[in-house]
Amino acid sequence: MAILITGGAGYIGSHTCIELLNAGYEIICLDNFSNSKSASLNRVAAITGKSFKWYEVDLLDRQGLEKVFIDNEIEAVIHFAGLKAVGESVASPLHYYHNNITGTLILCEMMEKYDVKKLVFSSSATVYGMPDSVPISEDFPMHTTNPYGRTKIMIEEILQDLYVSDISWGICLLRYFNPIGAHESGIIGEDPNGTPNNLMPYITSVASGKRKELQVYGCDYPTADGTGVRDYIHVVDLANGHVKALEKVMSSTGVDAYNLGTGKGNSVLEIIATFEEVTGKRIPYTFAARRPGDVAECYSDPSKAKEELGWVAKRGIKEMCRDAWNWQEKNPDGYKGKDNNNFKNRHLP
Ligand code: NAD
Ligand code: UD1
């Protein structure tokens, strides 16, 4: 029996594959590589010393997906596959709704057909939109400002309805706060296409000399130093949260949402200062206007995940900065670098 990981080649998926393999699970990955490279899967195998099957399949390809279910005995699914860039979702909403929502519908239909009713879904803190207060707990109202966020809210609602229709489903909705950092080996990490939108990949690109300076979006927020505050979480802690959520869905039925965050907020200036301290690299920056849609403060109350999943984030922002830089320094061109041949370990279905 195996765990199917959709979007397993991506940033969070690849880190989760490692923790699942280390915990003794058999995994099967599926990805269309629209925002990732198969090299990440080869590296997961190299890090863990374990082999696993992977399929180049798009969730929208019903026949291709069905073959995965026919060929394998799948007992649960961790569903990462989706498009995630907020700005792109505003420019191409139909593409986002089709890929994220139709992809999830086809996946759930296939799961139902093959009697696989255990699902862990990648949701996001974006479902809380502009919260009235912090810390944010799971019972806060859901509203969001962009199509990407709406795909997450809609999918959460679809999965709630699915459970109401058939209470033998076990579903966890994991609302991630701000995942950053990389596996401590520096062998896998985040490899965004083009200019990074998010803070940490932008900082590492400045540290490596690819970009001249960081623009800090807003210095007049009602926060201690005027810059935006977020709940940054180490991607390996986040990956471990999936192992705990998987244990939960495998042993129970129901549908539950969990915040995966540290419960602590850090400002942009604190992240810059910590990055400079642990790496010795200087990050030149200038202040720019607020980014439209940004909130002043966003951090979690992660106590429900602690109580019900037995999960807490262990790593702090120093480890997050250190590991993000370790990955960037060892892989200046991400997965496009020449060293991919060191990780030849292809496992075709
Ligand atoms: P990612 O882009 O690195 O990984 C997503 C993977 O899904 C990619 O490998 C992509 O190729 C694949 N994919 C996309 N559409 C697909 C399809 N139709 N069929 C098959 N594969 C497909 O992103 P990530 O950062 O690892 O995020 C994983 C999930 O977590 C996403 O659903 C994202 O929305 C969610 N999330 C991410 C963050 C974050 O900050 N990274 C925060 C909150 C939620
Ligand atoms: C982003 C996404 C959000 C997603 C979240 C979790 C956007 C608009 N929102 O939010 O949907 O759920 O990631 O991963 O993309 N910053 C700068 N300069 C930069 C980049 C960012 O100052 O070049 C600031 C931002 O204003 C913010 C903080 O850094 O205060 C973090 O930004 P980012 O990494 O983009 O994450 P979020 O804004 O939380």
Side-chain angles (χ1 to χ4, degrees):
M1 296 291 267
I3 312 301
L4 176 65
I5 319 292
T6 77
Y11 172 46
I12 305 168
S14 56
H15 287 82
T16 303
C17 287
I18 291 179
E19 300 310 315
L20 290 167
L21 289 166
N22 287 342
Y25 286 98
E26 184 192 339
I27 65 166
I28 293 162
C29 281
L30 172 162
D31 207 297
N32 66 359
F33 302 118
S34 58
N35 197 37
S36 56
K37 304 262 183 313
S38 60
S40 67
L41 296 175
N42 298 335
R43 293 184 183 201
V44 166
I47 290 168
T48 57
K50 294 187 177 170
S51 60
F52 57 92
K53 272 197 210 173
W54 58 262
Y55 291 79
E56 181 168 356
V57 167
D58 194 309
L59 282 181
L60 300 169
D61 167 11
R62 198 180 279 275
Q63 282 180 341
L65 181 62
E66 184 148 22
K67 186 174 174 345
V68 179
F69 278 82
I70 291 169
D71 284 357
N72 301 285
E73 275 193 52
I74 295 167
E75 60 182 327
V77 177
I78 305 184
H79 177 32
F80 294 102
L83 299 171
K84 63 166 184 177
V86 172
E88 197 178 67
S89 80
V90 174
S92 308
L94 298 181
H95 182 45
Y96 266 66
Y97 287 124
H98 190 52
N99 189 77
N100 291 6
I101 296 179
T102 313
T104 302
L105 288 175
I106 294 173
L107 174 68
C108 290
E109 285 166 11
M110 214 54 79
M111 289 176 70
E112 195 167 49
K113 181 167 178 185
Y114 289 89
D115 199 27
V116 182
K117 294 182 179 171
K118 305 292 179 186
L119 176 65
V120 177
F121 171 63
S122 297
S123 188
S124 169
T126 198
V127 300
Y128 298 118
M130 307 245 176
D132 289 339
S133 61
V134 280
I136 300 167
S137 54
E138 289 83 354
D139 54 3
F140 273 37
M142 293 205 288
H143 49 79
T144 187
T145 53
N146 57 74
Y148 164 69
R150 274 187 278 281
T151 70
K152 293 297 181 194
I153 292 181
M154 288 180 195
I155 294 169
E156 285 205 11
E157 288 174 340
I158 289 166
L159 296 177
Q160 296 273 2
D161 288 343
L162 184 58
Y163 173 70
V164 170
S165 75
D166 176 355
I167 57 166
S168 65
W169 280 82
I171 301 170
C172 271
L173 312 168
L174 301 182
R175 297 176 182 162
Y176 314 153
F177 280 68
N178 289 60
I180 58 170
H183 190 260
E184 63 176 11
S185 64
I187 293 173
I188 63 166
E190 187 171 14
D191 185 20
N193 283 331
T195 306
N197 294 314
N198 299 113
L199 181 64
M200 185 53 76
Y202 206 101
I203 288 180
T204 57
S205 79
V206 172
S208 67
K210 281 189 191 154
R211 291 183 177 81
K212 223 170 82 227
E213 63 181 20
L214 172 76
Q215 290 199 314
V216 175
Y217 299 139
C219 56
D220 56 354
Y221 283 110
T223 58
D225 63 22
T227 65
V229 166
R230 296 290 183 276
D231 184 341
Y232 296 95
I233 173 168
H234 197 294
V235 67
V236 174
D237 280 329
L238 189 66
N240 280 312
H242 292 74
V243 179
K244 295 290 190 187
L246 182 63
E247 287 167 8
K248 155 110 186 169
V249 296
M250 302 273 269
S251 60
S252 62
T253 58
V255 52
D256 286 287
Y258 295 100
N259 286 341
L260 295 187
T262 62
K264 294 181 201 82
N266 286 104
S267 72
V268 176
L269 295 184
E270 281 172 333
I271 295 293
I272 296 171
T274 305
F275 188 91
E276 290 185 334
E277 183 196 331
V278 298
T279 65
K281 304 295 274 185
R282 212 174 65 79
I283 305 299
Y285 64 85
T286 50
F287 288 115
R290 293 182 181 191
R291 186 171 60 178
D294 270 3
V295 293
E297 282 193 294
C298 176
Y299 58 90
S300 66
D301 171 354
S303 54
K304 187 177 172 200
K306 183 179 179 186
E307 281 153 26
E308 296 185 16
L309 301 179
W311 172 87
V312 282
K314 294 181 181 146
R315 295 161 179 82
I317 54 170
K318 283 191 177 175
E319 286 106 316
M320 299 180 211
C321 292
R322 178 198 67 197
D323 293 340
W325 177 238
N326 186 32
W327 151 253
Q328 170 69 47
E329 205 176 19
K330 287 186 173 147
N331 304 271
D333 297 316
Y335 292 115
K336 296 175 258 331
K338 288 187 193 129
D339 66 348
N340 277 333
N341 287 339
N342 297 337
F343 299 100
K344 265 198 182 142
N345 194 359
R346 204 157 188 245
H347 300 279
L348 288 168

